[in-house]
């Protein structure tokens, strides 16, 4: 048995619906504090009441079991109560990345068959969701309200629900919906009809194709994953889990649900600020930090408040130091040597965490590996060409099987069949190895993917947008090392430099893609480095690294 691993004989399978996960916590501790945000605190009782109101509003808008509802909201109480409100209705939440540009919003709305989108004006100084939706659907219908929308590019979309009053044309203020006509009994009847294998969420993730793919995530995958993670990390009702990650991201979602399952408290924030993060951790006496990406950890350690912040109450951090610059881990270790650091390996297709560390393991392993599989999840390392299993420390493709895996890509049977084999193994495209103690380490990607500050970026998606510009004949995107984001996109262009400068092409991309997907460098080429049949991207990457004086680690 792996050091620190739970005894499988003592574990029991617990699966329920997403809505019932919250209600079970409410049954046990209605007055306990469930959520803390900079502008709000909610007990479990208040959260359940607000989620039920949101469910009745959605029902009044015509949302029914198995309908798809897009959530385009900042990390906030509104987000959480909408998530659970959708679940109470037996419907499926579709997470819309708050950084999506109009083109991305339009694509996901149509691809995911959204019947409604819930959004807000509240975060307008950071994210103008209303403006982006209006640009996404230039033919937004002149009618709104109960009559429903009629949009050619999103034929199933009936409502864009706004949290505030005085909605613009095409939007419906959620307060205008006739909730008096909806009984709580109607909602509970829908809730208890939910099956644990029904889809609770569709989470979009970048693949090697030009458009993101929608992962179908079941209620069972979500609730069992949350409970197993809470077990691995020994969460109790006294835990207060802080995370700066946006809740549309699978990692933040899992961190929140894990502590809610134990009747503990989730502490979040809508926008990351290093100094305020440290003050919030200290003020709220956070016991566990869910912060696996280097951008956040570096930001806090360079903040003036880092030297004086009190971290004595923090017992555990999901920090992933094994996959980050050594200096980052060393600085945090020196600051608070008592904290147990664990790594995580995971992905959207597995609803977040596949492997992680936990209580009882050698604390040093948290600085060198990404942990061992959660109970009920199997991991193999294979030779990608032969399919044969590889031995200790050998590098190969990571295959995953278990309760937490997605049920396929929505409306894409071909990509689903390519990712999930007949025996239920998910072929991740990640390169990894497992040491003699059963701990996994991530070694890179086989596919044409970048990892920018923790976000997956498909080179093909960026290339497709660049190719839309009339000055571009062919675009090739690579990732180059970056101290802050680990990797950043860079593009090589065959085209007419006189027709568009590098700056103009970067601006063109920024108008159409989320900021983390935008190339930081653009270079024009007259000739491509070729193998017998393919452009050799590794040579493009090395050429730019040489130009910029970047030396790859290892």
């Amino acid at each position: 048995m792996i050091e620190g691993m739970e005894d499988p004989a003592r574990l029991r399978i617990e699966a329920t619906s997403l809505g019932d996960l919250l209600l079970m916590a409410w049954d046990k501790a209605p007055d306990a504090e469930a959520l803390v945000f900079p502008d709000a605190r909610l007990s479990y009782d208040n959260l359940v009441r607000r989620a039920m109101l949101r469910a009745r509003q959605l029902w009044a808008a015509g949302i029914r079991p198995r309908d798809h509802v897009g959530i385009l909201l900042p990390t906030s109480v509104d987000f959480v109560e909408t998530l659970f409100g959708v679940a109470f209705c037996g419907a499926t939440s579709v997470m819309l990345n708050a950084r999506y540009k109009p083109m991305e919003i339009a694509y996901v709305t149509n691809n995911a068959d959204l019947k409604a989108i819930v959004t807000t004006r509240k975060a307008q100084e950071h994210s103008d969701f209303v403006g982006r939706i209006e640009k996404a659907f230039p033919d937004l219908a002149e009618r709104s309200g109960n009559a429903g929308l009629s949009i050619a590019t999103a034929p199933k979309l009936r409502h864009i629900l706004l949290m505030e009053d005085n909605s613009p044309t095409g939007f419906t203020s959620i307060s205008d919906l006739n909730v008096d006509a909806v009984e709580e009994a109607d909602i509970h009847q829908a809730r208890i009809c939910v099956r644990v294998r029904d889809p609770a969420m569709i989470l979009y993730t970048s693949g090697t194709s030009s458009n993101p793919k929608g992962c179908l995530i079941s209620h069972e995958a979500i609730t069992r994953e949350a409970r197993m993670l809470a077990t691995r990390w020994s969460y109790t009702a006294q835990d207060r889990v802080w995370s700066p990650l946006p809740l549309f991201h699978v990692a933040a979602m899992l961190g929140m649900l894990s502590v809610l399952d134990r009747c503990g408290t989730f502490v979040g924030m809508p926008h990351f600020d290093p100094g305020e993060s440290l003050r919030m951790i200290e003020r709220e006496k956070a016991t566990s930090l869910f912060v696996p990406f280097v951008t956040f950890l570096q930001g806090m350690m360079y903040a003036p408040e880092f030297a004086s912040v009190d971290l004595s109450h923090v017992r555990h951090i999901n920090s992933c130091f094994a996959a980050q610059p050594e200096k980052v881990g060393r600085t945090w270790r020196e600051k608070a040597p008592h904290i147990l650091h664990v790594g995580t390996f995971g992905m959207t297709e597995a609803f977040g965490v596949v492997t992680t560390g936990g209580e009882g393991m050698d604390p040093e392993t948290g600085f060198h590996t990404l942990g061992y599989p959660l109970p009920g999840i199997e991991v193999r390392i294979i030779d990608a060409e032969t399919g044969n299993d590889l031995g200790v420390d050998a590098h190969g493709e990571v295959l995953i099987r278990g309760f937490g895996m997605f049920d396929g890509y929505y409306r894409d049977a071909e990509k689903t069949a390519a990712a999930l084999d007949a025996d239920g193994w998910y072929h991740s495209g990640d390169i990894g190895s497992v040491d003699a103690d059963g701990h996994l380490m991530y070694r890179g990607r086989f596919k044409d993917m970048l990892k920018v500050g923790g976000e997956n970026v498909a080179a093909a998606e960026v290339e497709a947008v660049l190719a839309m510009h009339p000055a571009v004949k062919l675009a090739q995107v690579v990732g180059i090392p970056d101290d802050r984001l680990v990797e950043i996109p860079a593009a090589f262009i065959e085209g007419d430099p006189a027709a568009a400068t590098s700056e103009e092409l970067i601006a063109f991309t920024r108008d159409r893609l989320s900021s983390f997907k935008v190339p930081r460098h653009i270079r024009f080429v007259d000739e491509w480095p070729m193998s017998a049949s393919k452009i050799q991207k590794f040579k493009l990457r090395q050429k730019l690294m040489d130009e910029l004086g970047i030396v790859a680690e290892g």
Side-chain angles (χ1 to χ4, degrees):
M1 183 181 296
I2 298 174
E3 178 189 9
M5 177 177 278
E6 304 83 355
D7 179 0
R10 298 181 64 84
L11 295 174
R12 302 292 182 266
I13 295 172
E14 294 181 292
T16 187
S17 69
L18 177 59
D20 277 25
L21 181 145
L22 173 62
L23 291 177
M24 289 174 181
W26 174 67
D27 290 339
K28 297 173 187 174
D31 297 326
E33 195 167 55
L35 300 176
V36 174
F37 289 100
D39 61 347
R41 293 175 181 270
L42 286 189
S43 67
Y44 279 88
D45 189 62
N46 286 335
L47 176 55
V48 167
R49 291 177 187 277
R50 291 175 64 144
M52 179 56 69
L53 174 59
R54 184 58 40 80
R56 292 170 63 206
Q57 291 168 330
L58 291 168
W59 198 269
I63 298 303
R64 295 295 182 269
R66 297 179 179 81
D67 284 340
H68 295 174
V69 178
I71 300 178
L72 183 58
L73 295 167
T75 296
S76 59
V77 168
D78 288 340
F79 188 109
V80 181
E81 65 190 33
T82 301
L83 173 72
F84 286 113
V86 172
F88 285 170
C89 290
T92 303
S93 290
V94 180
M95 303 304 156
L96 295 170
N97 191 314
R99 291 182 283 187
Y100 275 169
K101 294 300 177 71
M103 186 173 73
E104 296 165 304
I105 292 172
Y107 171 77
V108 171
T109 300
N110 179 54
N111 184 258
D113 291 323
L114 295 188
K115 188 172 181 178
I117 297 172
V118 181
T119 192
T120 183
R121 282 200 193 101
K122 285 182 182 177
Q124 201 156 354
E125 68 275 17
H126 298 284
S127 302
D128 181 8
F129 296 139
V130 170
R132 280 188 253 164
I133 289 172
E134 289 175 330
K135 289 180 181 177
F137 306 113
D139 59 340
L140 199 59
E142 289 298 321
R143 54 196 174 93
S144 59
N146 293 332
L149 297 171
S150 178
I151 300 175
T153 55
K156 295 195 175 182
L157 186 65
R158 290 294 173 266
H159 292 283
I160 302 173
L161 302 174
L162 193 66
M163 300 299 301
E164 296 79 30
D165 295 333
N166 301 317
S167 58
T169 300
F171 292 71
T172 300
S173 293
I174 206 163
S175 60
D176 290 341
L177 297 168
N178 184 18
V179 296
D180 292 337
V182 181
E183 300 291 338
E184 285 194 16
D186 298 330
I187 304 301
H188 283 301
Q189 183 61 35
R191 176 184 61 81
I192 63 174
C193 288
V194 171
R195 301 176 303 170
V196 295
R197 290 310 305 178
D198 284 342
M201 295 182 195
I202 301 179
L203 300 173
Y204 275 78
T205 182
S206 291
T208 53
S209 60
S210 59
N211 288 312
K213 301 172 291 186
C215 299
L216 287 161
I217 310 292
S218 70
H219 289 271
E220 179 190 5
I222 291 168
T223 58
R224 286 184 69 183
E225 185 85 11
R227 289 175 169 179
M228 283 301 180
L229 189 63
T231 298
R232 174 65 57 84
W233 288 349
S234 303
Y235 280 165
T236 71
Q238 284 67 54
D239 273 300
R240 300 173 68 80
V241 177
W242 174 85
S243 179
L245 304 180
L247 281 175
F248 60 76
H249 195 289
V250 65
M253 181 75 66
L254 181 55
M256 177 185 72
L257 295 176
S258 295
V259 74
L260 292 186
D261 183 61
R262 292 297 193 262
C263 304
T265 306
F266 178 74
V267 183
M269 55 198 313
H271 305 286
F272 175 68
D273 174 86
E276 179 53 30
S277 294
L278 292 166
R279 289 189 292 271
M280 194 175 198
I281 291 167
E282 180 177 86
R283 182 173 65 248
E284 298 299 333
K285 297 192 180 327
T287 60
S288 179
L289 312 184
F290 200 109
V291 56
F293 302 133
V294 68
T295 45
F296 301 101
L297 289 162
Q298 274 191 333
M300 288 190 287
M301 77 185 213
Y302 288 125
E305 294 86 349
F306 188 72
S308 60
V309 67
D310 178 11
L311 299 178
S312 61
H313 41 79
V314 179
R315 63 174 180 83
H316 166 273
I317 302 181
N318 173 25
S319 49
C320 289
F321 284 143
Q324 299 186 15
E326 189 272 337
K327 180 183 178 182
V328 181
R330 185 176 67 249
T331 301
W332 278 86
R333 187 205 294 255
E334 292 170 353
K335 169 64 181 177
H338 69 282
I339 294 174
L340 175 66
H341 290 278
V342 300
T344 49
F345 170 78
M347 61 212 59
T348 304
E349 285 86 349
F351 194 66
V353 174
V354 173
T355 69
T356 187
E359 303 288 344
M361 74 176 195
D362 179 354
E364 283 302 307
T365 60
F367 292 89
H368 306 293
T369 77
L370 299 178
Y372 48 97
L374 289 176
I377 296 178
E378 302 172 273
V379 171
R380 294 167 57 199
I381 307 295
I382 68 164
D383 183 307
E385 293 186 3
T386 66
N388 295 330
D389 287 282
L390 298 175
V392 171
D393 293 330
H395 293 198
E397 184 176 14
V398 182
L399 269 59
I400 308 156
R401 183 170 66 181
F403 63 81
M405 300 310 300
F406 74 128
D407 289 326
Y409 297 116
Y410 187 65
R411 291 176 54 182
D412 204 328
E414 184 178 346
K415 287 189 176 66
T416 299
L420 291 167
D421 68 25
D423 293 320
W425 289 99
Y426 171 60
H427 293 245
S428 69
D430 289 322
I431 304 168
S433 63
V434 173
D435 65 20
D437 295 321
H439 289 254
L440 183 140
M441 187 58 196
Y442 173 74
R443 306 292 180 182
R445 289 284 294 173
F446 282 109
K447 299 176 183 177
D448 198 6
M449 292 285 295
L450 288 68
K451 184 72 83 171
V452 182
E455 296 276 8
N456 286 332
V457 175
E461 183 179 7
V462 185
E463 290 164 356
V465 170
L466 284 165
M468 294 166 59
H469 195 284
V472 176
K473 181 179 178 182
L474 178 64
Q476 295 287 284
V477 172
V478 301
I480 61 171
D482 181 77
D483 289 340
R484 188 173 69 88
L485 297 171
V486 181
E487 191 173 33
I488 55 174
F492 290 82
I493 303 295
E494 180 182 353
D496 183 4
T501 65
S502 297
E503 292 74 18
E504 288 170 340
L505 290 175
I506 290 173
F508 179 84
T509 312
R510 187 179 294 113
D511 285 343
R512 290 160 176 81
L513 291 175
S514 303
S515 58
F516 60 90
K517 302 176 185 178
V518 175
R520 306 314 197 264
H521 304 279
I522 287 184
R523 298 292 184 270
F524 287 90
V525 298
D526 296 320
E527 185 177 355
W528 298 103
M530 301 291 294
S531 64
S533 59
K534 295 182 179 180
I535 294 174
Q536 295 177 307
K537 284 192 171 184
F538 70 94
K539 290 186 177 179
L540 295 172
R541 179 177 184 269
Q542 189 59 55
K543 178 181 178 181
L544 183 56
M545 287 172 59
D546 290 344
E547 175 193 331
L548 299 174
I550 298 172
V551 178
E553 294 185 7

